[in-house]
Amino acid sequence: MLAKIKDILSGNYSDGEEIEVGGWVVKNRSSGKIVFTTIRDSTGEIQVTTKKGNVSDDDLMTADSLSLECSVRLKAKVRTDARAPGGKELVSTGIELVGCAQDYPIFGEGHNPEVLLDLRHLHVRSKELVAIMKVKDSVLNAAREWFRNNSFYEVTPPIIMSSSCEGGSTLFEIKYFDEKAYLSQSAQLYLESLIFGLENVYAITPSFRAEKSRTTRHLAEYWHIEAEMAWMGLYEMLNMLEDLVSYICNKTAEERAEEIRSLGSDPEYFLNLKPPFPRITYDDAIRILHEDGYRIQWGEDFGTHEERQLSMHYDKPLFITEYPLAVKAFYMKDAGNEKVLNVDMIGPKGFGEIIGGSERETDLGLLEGRLRKQGEDPSKYAWYLDLRRYGSVPHSGFGMGAERLVRWICGAEHIRDTIPYPRTISRLYP
């Protein structure tokens, strides 16, 4: 079995011990009789020295010819050397070129972002994107851990849907045999149906939004962490969300401190993030924005600039509750005074909305009326409306954008770097 570079650097192998390693070339330089090669695997980087007399002449020639991103397999002895990066290096006793990489198209820094997106299949190897993907892995694992520890069941709702959840203007339409269908905007409606048997459920699934947006926080395809809880009101859910987000951030910072730091973010902040989070109402938010010189009127939804401004007042995620009914979805619980029992969680320092949720409306007549007002035919939602006819209970739910959470933790400038192959209004390839 091949040794992992992280285990070598951690001292799991003694000096002089001969091991086998596989990896890719990060850089290579030669002084004629000795070749210094830095290789990487999924766990780290290490320097390899290939010296005349330690290997055959053919192996020395192979080492000398290595270029960026060649894949190699080598036999080597471990050596402690304070001058080497990480304090360890490998002394090669044999090297095999597994896959050449002639004229690797990504070299150095300063590439045009669109070029890197065209070469995404190669750019995903970069140190930055590898670090972000490791952070994302920890985020998803931590979310699942929290749900399991808190008596939730993971379920698998459909991705192909017959009707809208969040509004028809952002639907991707597809042909489903001889019928019209849509890619899922949210698993919410199906998750609601499952609480009547399982009570607390969650799903981590792809969602699709045909939003013609070019902001740094919008994707047309993203991963959605969603949950629905029976017998739970809005403000009880806020307490739960504080605990969930804190757990994910704490666990991820504990596991990925090195990666988070390498990306320019602060793992200590996320390691020490604890409840409570600040809470304001929509009315409070309007007042703050007016004091800050914004001209937004009551009844208007917040955009990127308004959310950024509000978040600058707090150093923790911010809960904003009780938005106007007119700017929110049909399924949100009526709070009276033309408001709904909903919440948006806004990331600090301008990272924008990360979570949206609400207590769900249980009044059948109100739901039917709202659907008609939005131009929808209630008969298309007959199965969903049945949930209010047969044993309905108070319940709440939320959706968290996995990539938005990762972007905040990593301090990434653009959300496209939090997903291996971003899908945006202008990007479908590769």
Side-chain angles (χ1 to χ4, degrees):
M1 182 179 293
L2 296 177
K4 290 299 180 185
I5 290 173
K6 182 178 181 180
D7 293 334
I8 300 167
L9 296 175
S10 298
N12 292 2
Y13 297 93
S14 56
D15 274 20
E17 185 173 353
E18 189 163 45
I19 58 175
E20 281 195 63
V21 177
W24 293 264
V25 174
V26 176
K27 57 185 176 182
N28 199 49
R29 62 184 177 88
S30 172
S31 64
K33 294 182 179 181
I34 186 168
V35 180
F36 298 92
T37 309
T38 302
I39 66 167
R40 64 166 177 84
D41 64 11
S42 64
T43 67
E45 297 181 358
I46 196 167
Q47 178 176 281
V48 180
T49 60
T50 306
K51 189 175 182 181
K52 186 176 178 63
N54 291 343
V55 297
S56 69
D57 289 345
D58 286 345
D59 281 359
L60 186 61
M61 289 178 61
T62 297
D64 191 47
S65 69
L66 295 176
S67 59
L68 181 65
E69 287 302 314
C70 288
S71 57
V72 295
R73 185 173 181 137
L74 56 92
K75 293 181 180 179
K77 291 181 179 179
V78 177
R79 183 168 71 183
T80 299
D81 188 336
R83 297 169 298 176
K88 298 280 185 179
E89 69 173 7
L90 296 176
V91 179
S92 176
T93 58
I95 188 165
E96 174 191 357
L97 173 62
V98 177
C100 64
Q102 294 181 348
D103 302 321
Y104 189 69
I106 303 176
F107 183 78
E109 298 179 357
H111 289 275
N112 184 299
E114 290 301 315
V115 172
L116 293 179
L117 287 168
D118 287 339
L119 297 171
R120 191 67 164 199
H121 53 294
L122 302 177
H123 191 222
V124 288
R125 308 179 186 189
S126 69
K127 188 179 292 187
E128 178 185 3
L129 291 187
V130 166
I132 292 174
M133 295 309 136
K134 288 181 178 180
V135 171
K136 190 174 187 178
D137 170 73
S138 290
V139 164
L140 295 175
N141 280 336
R144 285 192 164 97
E145 280 183 15
W146 187 92
F147 283 123
R148 181 166 290 276
N149 292 341
N150 286 272
S151 302
F152 279 74
Y153 296 94
E154 184 169 9
V155 294
T156 53
I159 302 302
I160 299 174
M161 306 179 74
S162 60
S163 57
S164 163
C165 177
E166 297 291 341
S169 63
T170 63
L171 283 167
F172 282 107
E173 184 180 316
I174 62 172
K175 184 178 180 182
Y176 186 71
F177 300 103
D178 294 327
E179 295 185 61
K180 184 188 295 184
Y182 308 95
L183 295 178
S184 174
Q185 300 166 308
S186 167
Q188 179 204 315
L189 305 188
Y190 294 99
L191 293 181
E192 284 190 61
S193 73
L194 290 161
I195 67 168
F196 295 91
L198 296 169
E199 295 192 295
N200 293 334
V201 298
Y202 78 98
I204 302 178
T205 60
S207 285
F208 305 85
R209 303 283 174 96
E211 294 177 298
K212 295 182 178 179
S213 175
R214 298 181 186 274
T215 76
T216 58
R217 60 191 185 94
H218 281 91
L219 291 167
E221 176 187 11
Y222 64 98
W223 286 82
H224 218 165
I225 303 170
E226 297 181 271
E228 293 289 324
M229 295 76 64
W231 313 105
M232 186 176 288
L234 173 67
Y235 294 100
E236 188 179 357
M237 182 176 71
L238 263 58
N239 296 336
M240 189 201 81
L241 288 174
E242 287 178 331
D243 191 50
L244 168 63
V245 172
S246 297
Y247 183 87
I248 292 173
C249 290
N250 298 167
K251 188 77 172 180
T252 300
E254 180 184 341
E255 292 181 353
R256 302 298 179 192
E258 181 181 342
E259 286 82 4
I260 294 170
R261 194 174 291 111
S262 75
L263 293 163
S265 192
D266 180 11
E268 292 300 318
Y269 169 84
F270 294 101
L271 187 64
N272 296 304
L273 183 66
K274 305 291 182 190
F277 297 169
R279 303 178 183 187
I280 63 174
T281 65
Y282 174 88
D283 290 351
D284 294 330
I286 290 291
R287 176 182 53 77
I288 292 169
L289 289 170
H290 285 170
E291 290 172 355
D292 290 347
Y294 283 70
R295 296 183 178 180
I296 188 170
Q297 300 301 309
W298 195 97
E300 297 177 3
D301 204 356
F302 300 134
T304 302
H305 298 298
E306 289 81 14
E307 289 180 353
R308 171 181 287 275
Q309 183 63 25
L310 289 167
S311 74
M312 293 302 178
H313 290 270
Y314 305 92
D315 63 356
K316 286 183 177 182
L318 169 66
F319 288 132
I320 307 176
T321 60
E322 298 188 26
Y323 282 63
L325 170 63
V327 298
K328 289 300 177 182
F330 74 93
Y331 49 73
M332 295 186 178
K333 181 74 173 177
D334 193 339
N337 297 319
E338 297 299 315
K339 300 177 185 177
V340 289
L341 290 175
N342 81 301
V343 63
D344 283 349
M345 191 189 87
I346 309 299
K349 299 181 181 179
F351 279 95
E353 181 189 340
I354 294 172
I355 294 175
S358 74
E359 188 170 336
R360 309 313 192 190
E361 183 57 71
T362 55
D363 187 297
L364 179 60
L366 280 178
L367 285 171
E368 290 177 326
R370 289 178 188 170
L371 284 168
R372 290 191 184 96
K373 190 173 182 179
Q374 292 182 8
E376 296 282 357
D377 180 357
S379 67
K380 292 182 179 179
Y381 294 82
W383 69 270
Y384 178 72
L385 298 174
D386 274 352
L387 305 179
R388 273 58 177 175
R389 295 187 176 98
Y390 305 113
S392 184
V393 297
H395 60 289
S396 298
F398 69 90
M400 177 193 301
E403 286 77 19
R404 289 187 175 185
L405 181 59
V406 171
R407 178 177 174 245
W408 171 44
I409 294 173
C410 294
E413 183 178 344
H414 203 293
I415 198 168
R416 67 189 173 206
D417 289 332
T418 63
I419 195 165
Y421 291 92
R423 297 293 180 251
T424 66
I425 187 174
S426 58
R427 176 62 56 176
L428 184 59
Y429 176 91

